[in-house]
Amino acid sequence: MNKWRSRVTTDGLDRAPHRAFMRAMGLDDAAIAKPMIGVVSMKGEQTPCNMTHDFQVLAAKEGITEAGGCPREFATVSVSDGISMNHEGMKFSLFSRELIADSIEAVVHGLAYDALIGFGGCDKTLPGVMMGMIRCNVPSIFIYGGSALPGRLGGRTLTALDSYEAVGGFMTGDVDQATLLSIERNCLPTIGACAGQFTANTMAMVSEALGLTMPNVSMIPGVYSERAQVARQAGRLVMQMLERAGPLPRDVVTRKSLENAAAVVAATGGSTNAALHLPAIANEAGIRFTIDDVGEVFARTPLIGNLRPGGKYTAKDVYDIGGAAVVIRALLESGHIDGSGLTITGRTIAEEYGSANAPDGEVIYATDKPIMPDGGVAVLKGNLCPDGAVIKVAGLRSLSFQGPARVFEDEESCVEAVRNRNYVAGEVLVIRNEGPVGGPGMREMLGVTALIYGQGMGEKVALITDGRFSGATRGMCIGYVSPESFVGGPLALVSDGDRIRIDAATRRMDLLIDEVELARRRQAWKPRPPRHRAGALAKYARLVGQAPQGAVTHEGPADWPWFD
């Protein structure tokens, strides 16, 4: 007698009503007798990132059917970071990560599915799906939908970031309207996620380092038919995993695999958002892995990826030289990641990646000749961020900055000042009340950072926030400041004109005022009223934690009984 969870919905005379619903979906006796395999994606018309899912979902279902399973397709939400950027809608982006994980839990457990294949595309969908898989802890395979091909204009390679920065250039007169519109029309020539090493491609590589996906598939462009082959193979593999009862997600996601994932982020100059998502993924597995742990790995890992936004190349260029396996092999050989970790294939990281191509020296550098000796992302500490803050240092010409603060109480007021060029070189722009609770939702600030960069001020000013940054953000930008200002963190105590010192080389950020004045301000501080008193964001604000622990809304790991 098998132990498939789905038998609780199919076996016995008292399950006649359940089977009636299945027959209404077109299932016959043979299909109902098979294990039920969930296939979740975000295919739809919310964002180009997920429009690659359709043909891959079909191929995955074919693979499941070929291997003797009954695929059950369902969908979950996606919020396009690109379209929600720089307005109130961005508050739903990070929130959607939790909603995705919750919805996967609801369907997999509510319908007693036996295993799961999950697709991700837009930024928060990748960690959201992985979190859902780990929470449910059934045999699971994650598949990234793939990135868009880079654009071309006048011999220049483009990504979506170029359109953001061109707006800033237009404001200064450095970019004319015709060029701005040409960049708009050419920067995203295909469906798929953003082509640079922004959050989607960063978290796709993370899925490989964690061992949750098929080996060396993350950098295959989203429009390549090779992705259908991968999805079909995943359908067959998940059935093998079900047959042998593993490896399960919590067998694969360990402290070592989380450290491996952080190393890949640092080595490629990946998204600062990974410092938020890795602790959240760890939480689902019951592992305490905070921003401090992420920072320790960042500090000991060399930057070897010459990837946008800090570098020159895109995901397709990584694919062309051999894929993410090139990065993982290099880090394996240099001892920066541990090769003993298990992957969903049942083989170790070393077994799957040890024979990959060597670095080409241009897209991916050798670890003994790195771009930087330590990672492209750093975690800062200091009296302004006692619990941590994150900066992307890849591509920075200088790692230090000091200047007077210009304080803004929300993103909109800073954007208005930047649009009107009402700021000067040497200032530290502070955007507060945008943290997980205060936003609520910890908005991403690519709109304002790209304007600053496009205006030619990218490293002439600094920007500090308790909100987030896009993986595409570059410049002297420090986000995820913790504790956030809304709950009384030091950022709430900054006044216009206060001097702030940033030193990424020593991983420090400090407010340069004496302790007596700081204590006086702390005593006088009063909390602000919440921005949302009803609806989903109000619920989120009551539950969400701080950034160093991943801005999660529950304590993991969640338990669920297996059915006999």
Side-chain angles (χ1 to χ4, degrees), residues 185-204:
R185 294 177 185 278
N186 288 279
C187 67
L188 269 172
T190 72
I191 56 175
C194 293
Q197 192 67 347
F198 311 155
T199 303
N201 283 320
T202 297
M203 295 309 297

Side-chain angles (χ1 to χ4, degrees), residues 79-274:
V79 175
S80 168
D81 284 13
I83 299 172
S84 66
M85 189 70 67
N86 200 15
H87 62 83
E88 285 281 307
M90 175 53 74
K91 293 180 178 180
F92 286 95
S93 174
L94 184 60
F95 166 73
S96 74
R97 185 192 71 179
E98 314 308 305
L99 194 55
I100 290 163
D102 291 350
S103 66
I104 289 172
E105 177 188 15
V107 173
V108 170
H109 286 335
L111 301 180
Y113 288 158
D114 299 297
L116 181 67
I117 293 178
F119 290 84
C122 195
D123 293 4
K124 308 311 170 294
T125 67
L126 286 87
V129 171
M130 287 186 265
M131 289 163 64
M133 289 177 166
I134 300 164
R135 190 182 304 176
C136 293
N137 205 35
V138 298
S140 301
I141 298 176
F142 174 81
I143 303 177
Y144 175 43
S147 68
L149 296 176
R152 298 286 293 176
L153 181 65
R156 175 186 171 198
T157 299
L158 300 177
T159 69
L161 176 59
D162 292 282
S163 64
Y164 284 99
E165 294 184 353
V167 174
F170 176 73
M171 290 177 176
T172 63
D174 294 331
V175 175
D176 60 35
Q177 184 173 348
T179 300
L180 173 60
L181 294 178
S182 291
I183 292 172
E184 173 191 332
R185 294 177 185 278
N186 288 279
C187 67
L188 269 172
T190 72
I191 56 175
C194 293
Q197 192 67 347
F198 311 155
T199 303
N201 283 320
T202 297
M203 295 309 297
M205 282 197 184
V206 160
S207 72
E208 293 207 35
L210 288 174
L212 285 173
T213 191
M214 311 281 285
N216 203 29
V217 300
S218 62
M219 295 295 102
I220 304 170
V223 292
Y224 280 20
S225 59
E226 184 180 354
R227 284 206 158 274
Q229 301 168 31
V230 168
R232 188 173 287 105
Q233 292 165 10
R236 294 193 288 262
L237 176 59
V238 81
M239 292 302 297
Q240 296 172 21
M241 294 166 66
L242 179 61
E243 179 66 25
R244 60 177 185 251
L248 299 176
R250 293 184 200 172
D251 299 328
V252 171
V253 176
T254 64
R255 185 175 184 85
K256 281 294 184 185
S257 72
L258 289 159
E259 291 177 351
N260 288 350
V264 166
V265 175
T268 58
S271 172
T272 55
N273 278 306

Side-chain angles (χ1 to χ4, degrees), residues 247-432:
L248 299 176
R250 293 184 200 172
D251 299 328
V252 171
V253 176
T254 64
R255 185 175 184 85
K256 281 294 184 185
S257 72
L258 289 159
E259 291 177 351
N260 288 350
V264 166
V265 175
T268 58
S271 172
T272 55
N273 278 306
L276 192 71
H277 298 323
L278 287 174
I281 288 169
N283 178 65
E284 300 293 350
I287 300 168
R288 182 173 173 78
F289 190 75
T290 70
I291 198 171
D292 289 338
D293 300 304
V294 173
E296 287 180 12
V297 178
F298 284 175
R300 66 176 186 244
T301 307
L303 174 64
I304 61 174
N306 185 13
L307 305 176
R308 294 186 176 212
K312 181 179 178 181
Y313 295 101
T314 66
K316 182 184 180 299
D317 297 307
V318 178
Y319 170 78
D320 288 341
I321 66 163
V326 175
V327 177
I328 294 176
R329 174 195 162 171
L331 296 176
L332 271 170
E333 291 184 345
S334 63
H336 289 97
I337 66 175
D338 186 294
S340 65
L342 197 62
T343 75
I344 56 166
T345 67
R347 288 159 52 88
T348 66
I349 290 285
E351 289 170 333
E352 291 292 2
Y353 292 91
S355 60
N357 292 352
D360 68 318
E362 178 60 28
V363 179
I364 304 297
Y365 286 43
T367 53
D368 60 352
K369 296 179 181 179
I371 299 167
M372 293 176 63
D374 48 17
V377 186
V379 173
L380 309 182
K381 288 292 187 75
N383 71 355
L384 195 51
C385 53
D387 292 345
V390 186
I391 180 173
K392 179 177 285 194
V393 295
L396 283 181
R397 291 186 291 272
S398 173
L399 297 181
S400 63
F401 194 98
Q402 183 171 316
R406 172 79 68 88
V407 179
F408 301 93
E409 300 297 342
D410 53 36
E411 181 186 9
E412 283 81 4
S413 56
C414 184
V415 169
E416 182 180 2
V418 171
R419 281 176 175 160
N420 295 325
R421 305 191 70 188
N422 185 23
Y423 68 108
V424 297
E427 288 185 321
V428 179
L429 309 182
V430 174
I431 303 176
R432 61 191 179 197

Side-chain angles (χ1 to χ4, degrees), residues 486-516:
F486 191 83
V487 300
L491 201 65
L493 311 179
V494 179
S495 296
D496 284 340
D498 289 346
R499 294 195 69 79
I500 293 174
R501 181 174 59 222
I502 303 158
D503 189 346
T506 60
R507 299 179 184 84
R508 292 284 307 184
M509 183 169 70
D510 292 288
L511 179 63
L512 303 180
I513 62 174
D514 63 56
E515 287 299 321
V516 173

